[in-house]
Amino acid sequence: MSIAYIHHPDCLLHEMGTGHPERPARIHAIEEQMKVSHLMESVQVYEALLATREQLARVHGIQYIDKVLNFNDKSGFIYLDPDTMQTPETKPAALRAAGALIQAVDLVLTHQHQVAFCNIRPPGHHALPDCAMGFCFFNNVAIGTAHALEAYGLRRVAIVDFDVHHGNGTEAIFINDPRVMLCSTFQHPFYPYSGADTVNDFMINVPLPAYTTGDAFREAVTQHWLPALNRFAPELLFISAGFDAHEDDSISFLRLHEEDYAWVTQEILDIANQYAQGRIISTLEGGYELSALGRSVVAHLEVLM
Ligand SMILES: [Zn+2]
C-alpha cells in the first residue's frame, strides 16, 4: 500500500516577510529531494481539503478561530506574535494545512492508506487553543488527533514530536486528555522555554541540552519514549515531524543527522506495527536549512515506505 502524500499550492502563498525562515521554499526543497530520490513516483498525491470551522473548534476557541478567518486588516498584515505574521494568504494556507490532517485521518482510518505524510505549512505545534505562536496559526496535528478521537471514536492516540522546539501548543491542548499521549524531544533551555517538567504519565517530555548528538538522542528515545508507548499501546500514531534539530540547521544547537531521523522513524514504525495496524500520520513542523530538510524528509519517508 502506497503512502498518501498530501500537499496544496495554497500552502506556498503564505509568507511572513523577507528573510523569515518559515518560507515557501521549504516545501519546494522537500519535493525536489523526493523527485531526485524517485520517491514522488511511489506516493499517491492528494491536494489538501479545507478544514471546517467545526473541525478547528475541537481544539481552538471560536473567538480565536474567527479572528484568523475574518482577517481584514487594511495594512495587509498583522503580527499575532513577534515571529508570526498574518496576511490575506495566511487563511487559505492555514485551512489547507489543518485540512490535510483531517484528510490524512480519513484516508488512514478508512484503510485507503496505512501511512500519510502532510507536506504543509504553516506548521502547528506551537499554536495554543486561543492564540498563534512561533510561526503556527492552527495546531494541525492536534486538529487531526481530535478528528481521530471524535469522528472515529479512537481511545488511544499517540503524538511523537521530534522537532527541536517543545510542542507547547499540542501539550496545552491535550494535557488533561488521557486518550492522548505526547512524546517529545527538544532542545532545552530553548524557545518556547516549556516542557522541562514532567506533568503527568501521558506527556513524555525529554529535554535535551544544546549540542546533543544523535547517539544521546537515540538513548533518550529508547529510555523514555519507547517504554511509555509500549505501555500506552496507541491505536494510531501521529508524528510532528520537525527537522530543525539537524546539525546543519542554524536555528538550533542539536546535532541530529538524516540517519537519526531514519532510526527514530523505524522505532515509531515498530510501535505502529505492533499496536496500531501500522497506521502513522506524519506532518511537517520545523526544518529551515533547505538541503538538510529535504534529505531528512527523504530519510523519514524511505523508512515509512
Ligand atoms: Zn521547531
Side-chain angles (χ1 to χ4, degrees):
M1 202 185 282
S2 65
I3 288 188
Y5 174 80
I6 309 175
H7 68 163
H8 198 281
D10 285 355
C11 293
L12 300 168
L13 300 177
H14 160 70
E15 293 204 54
M16 295 189 285
T18 313
H20 198 293
E22 205 294 277
R23 58 207 192 278
R26 301 175 61 232
I27 302 282
H28 289 305
I30 291 169
E31 297 198 335
E32 268 314 302
Q33 287 286 344
M34 285 178 67
K35 280 176 195 151
V36 169
S37 316
H38 303 287
L39 283 184
M40 258 324 177
E41 300 151 23
S42 37
V43 296
Q44 191 166 340
V45 180
Y46 295 86
E47 288 209 341
L49 304 174
L50 294 163
T52 66
R53 192 164 169 267
E54 290 67 33
Q55 288 162 346
L56 303 177
R58 290 180 180 136
V59 309
H60 291 290
I62 283 291
Q63 272 192 326
Y64 169 62
I65 294 169
D66 287 343
K67 181 176 148 186
V68 175
L69 298 189
N70 299 330
F71 168 83
N72 190 19
D73 201 275
K74 283 192 186 66
S75 65
F77 68 92
I78 185 170
Y79 279 93
L80 298 186
D81 96 344
D83 303 317
T84 314
M85 186 176 89
Q86 182 170 4
T87 70
E89 286 74 36
T90 304
K91 173 180 158 181
L95 287 178
R96 296 289 179 188
L101 271 290
I102 297 285
Q103 199 171 352
V105 169
D106 289 340
L107 288 169
V108 168
L109 292 185
T110 58
H111 309 287
Q112 297 178 66
H113 292 274
Q114 223 168 57
V115 173
F117 177 69
C118 303
N119 187 13
I120 46 89
R121 57 181 288 281
H125 74 155
H126 296 305
L128 291 157
D130 294 304
C131 66
M133 183 174 170
F135 316 165
C136 303
F137 295 85
F138 296 132
N139 196 313
N140 307 317
V141 80
I143 289 161
T145 300
H147 187 57
L149 296 170
E150 305 307 329
Y152 291 91
L154 295 198
R155 288 162 302 171
R156 292 181 314 282
V157 177
I159 304 169
V160 167
D161 185 335
F162 52 67
D163 189 277
V164 80
H165 304 97
H166 178 235
N168 61 306
T170 314
E171 178 178 276
I173 288 165
F174 293 118
I175 196 161
N176 293 315
D177 191 338
R179 296 174 299 175
V180 180
M181 172 173 277
L182 173 62
C183 293
S184 184
T185 49
F186 48 91
Q187 184 179 326
H188 187 82
F190 199 51
Y191 184 88
Y193 304 99
S194 55
D197 304 318
T198 301
V199 267
N200 61 44
D201 292 346
F202 299 98
M203 298 288 139
I204 314 299
N205 286 325
V206 187
L208 302 170
Y211 309 111
T212 293
T213 61
D215 287 347
F217 165 75
R218 293 182 194 204
E219 203 181 305
V221 166
T222 305
Q223 234 183 61
H224 299 282
W225 285 10
L226 300 183
L229 289 167
N230 276 305
R231 188 179 74 230
F232 188 62
E235 299 166 293
L236 171 66
L237 284 107
F238 286 86
I239 305 177
S240 263
F243 298 92
D244 42 6
H246 196 287
E247 182 163 26
D248 294 349
D249 200 314
S250 58
I251 210 163
S252 78
F253 300 96
L254 294 197
R255 293 178 164 171
L256 303 195
H257 294 116
E258 294 89 299
E259 307 81 66
D260 301 307
Y261 291 118
W263 176 85
V264 72
T265 306
Q266 184 63 53
E267 296 299 314
I268 298 165
L269 185 59
D270 290 347
I271 297 282
N273 283 334
Q274 197 166 346
Y275 304 106
Q277 301 167 45
R279 300 185 295 205
I280 295 180
I281 295 169
S282 175
T283 185
L284 183 65
E285 299 284 1
Y288 305 101
E289 206 293 310
L290 297 181
S291 172
L293 172 63
R295 297 190 321 264
S296 299
V297 170
V298 164
H300 177 59
L301 291 180
E302 279 175 342
V303 173
L304 290 177
M305 280 167 172

